Amino acid sequence: EEMSELPPPPPPMSGSYDPPAGNRYSAVSGINPFTGKPDNEARLDLFEKVSKFYQRFNPSRLNKGIGALVDYALNKGEEKLNSKLMKEYGYDLNTFDELQKEEARELELKRMSQMKEEADKSKNDLDSDKSLREELTQFFLRYDPSRAEMKMDVLMEFVKRRGRAALNEKMFNKYGADLDTFAALNDADDEQPQETLDNGDNIKIEVTIETAPISKVDSFEEYFEAEEEKKPVATLTPQEKEIMQAEFEKKKLKTLRPRIPFQIPSYTKSQLEKYFAKYEPRNLSNGGVEAVYQWTQRNGMALLNEKLLQKYGMSLQDFNEEANLLRDDLIEFYRVVDRNKLVTGCEQVLNWGLKNGRAALNVKFMEKYGMTLQDAEENFDSISQV
């Protein structure tokens, strides 16, 4: 069960919670290559709203980056973006938010309904068990008093597994009556007038009923096995007991043996931070990255990549390859336009590009430097040939 799905993000904290300004969220989100500063809170909030929208209606668009859409909404207004989204998907950011709230309410109502059904079923099962136990007791008091005080759990379990009809068949074969016919006889007895015993001399006659000794029955067949047909219980030889004990200890050790975690390098956590900055930003501030990293230590990278691919459409391995390609392109770009960046590092621009996509990055580079990553690569190739 643990390996069936990735761990869910921790529940939101009650009350207000303000993440530390400029902390992990800004660092992983990267530096805007146009302003040279981290994205402000308004852009981050809008980015998360748009991310959730496309995660529902067009997950493949996330792999291409949605930074250009966010910038469009900031420059032209959310109304413009909402108009285009409504035309394309039948929902916009506002109606999608209302849809999520309505789905959350329906989910909560469904959960409460399921809890009520389970509670009602549990109560009905208890009432049914109590009624069946009383029926069995009354039946044996009439047809086999010595068994009336026996343990009924075996019969109760038999009814659950095989059904009432199967039990009635066993009873009828042995006693000539079953629970249903016994109930019908009782109803008929109740309808007949009761006769009083009077010997004419008003002498009270006391009848003493001896109760059968309490005994224990552990198997279903013992209820319907004739006394003279009972067979001695088979016993194990000392050698057989030793073999069984050895097998038991072996299974016990296997069950209790601690699970050896996978050797997951520590830098995987940094890769996960970049990944979730793009696909699920809230994991950066609520401890979700740490939870996924610990899950990966228990289950391995292969299963992590499989789960991420199923949920977001891109595995961590593919994401890292994309990051390496973008890093190489950025190095070539800055060799042409700004070699100082190679000294100070372009990691934060890389993070921003991974999150927002190459298209958004090229728009920013065109505005600031007058060329794109592709232009710089061609320029660098021509310089290298000379």
Side-chain angles (χ1 to χ4, degrees), residues 249-260:
E249 293 296 336
K250 187 185 299 183
K251 292 181 180 178
K252 183 178 178 182
L253 287 174
K254 185 176 180 180
T255 304
L256 298 178
R257 186 180 296 121
R259 194 170 169 185
I260 301 175

Side-chain angles (χ1 to χ4, degrees), residues 8 75 89 99 122 135 187 248 271 289 291 293 355 366 380:
N75 295 329
Y89 301 103
L99 174 65
S122 178
E135 285 188 76
D187 292 339
F248 173 77
Q271 295 173 346
V289 172
Y293 178 71
K355 175 183 174 183
M366 181 61 73
F380 180 77

Side-chain angles (χ1 to χ4, degrees), residues 22-34 37-39 43-44 47 51 62-68 267-281 284 316 319-320 322-331 334 341 344-362 364-365 373:
N23 200 349
R24 171 57 58 190
Y25 194 91
S26 296
V28 177
S29 297
I31 296 295
N32 188 314
F34 182 68
K37 298 178 181 179
D39 289 330
R43 190 179 191 282
L44 294 177
F47 184 93
S51 295
L62 291 174
N63 292 334
K64 301 175 183 177
I66 57 175
Y267 60 77
T268 302
K269 190 182 298 185
S270 175
Q271 295 173 346
L272 286 170
E273 288 172 346
K274 292 181 175 64
Y275 184 94
F276 284 114
K278 177 175 182 177
Y279 291 101
E280 194 145 6
L284 300 176
L316 184 62
F319 179 81
N320 290 334
E322 179 184 295
N324 292 331
L325 290 174
L326 182 56
R327 181 182 287 106
D328 293 340
D329 290 346
L330 285 173
I331 291 174
Y334 282 117
K341 270 289 186 180
T344 58
C346 55
E347 191 68 19
Q348 290 182 314
V349 176
L350 169 67
N351 294 340
W352 193 94
L354 288 172
K355 175 183 174 183
N356 293 274
R358 281 178 175 262
L361 192 61
N362 281 328
K364 298 301 181 184
F365 282 153
L373 290 171

